[in-house]
């Protein structure tokens, strides 16, 4: 009998209160998982995000973190 193994997945999380909506993260996301909403803050579409970290490295305001989330 096989037991189910739970794996943590990585996702990008934006501190929307500190985001400056520059769009740098959007430009580097290879899967189009980030968009700037109403010119106010970036928002991650979790179903598309694979947690690669490109957005976090590119963010000039350093408001994006890559976190493990339960799947």
């Amino acid at each position: 009998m096989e037991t189910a193994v739970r794996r943590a997945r990585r996702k990008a999380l934006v501190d929307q209160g500190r985001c400056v909506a520059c769009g740098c993260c959007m430009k580097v996301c290879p899967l189009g998982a980030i968009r700037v909403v109403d010119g106010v803050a970036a928002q991650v579409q979790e179903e598309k995000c694979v947690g690669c970290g490109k957005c976090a490295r590119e963010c000039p305001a350093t408001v994006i973190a890559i976190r493990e989330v339960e799947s």
Side-chain angles (χ1 to χ4, degrees), residues 36-65:
V36 174
V37 179
D38 298 327
V40 176
Q43 185 177 59
V44 177
Q45 297 173 50
E46 287 191 26
E47 66 278 359
K48 291 183 178 180
C49 180
V50 295
C52 69
K54 289 182 180 181
C55 57
R57 287 189 296 275
E58 189 68 24
C59 179
T62 63
V63 299
I64 302 176

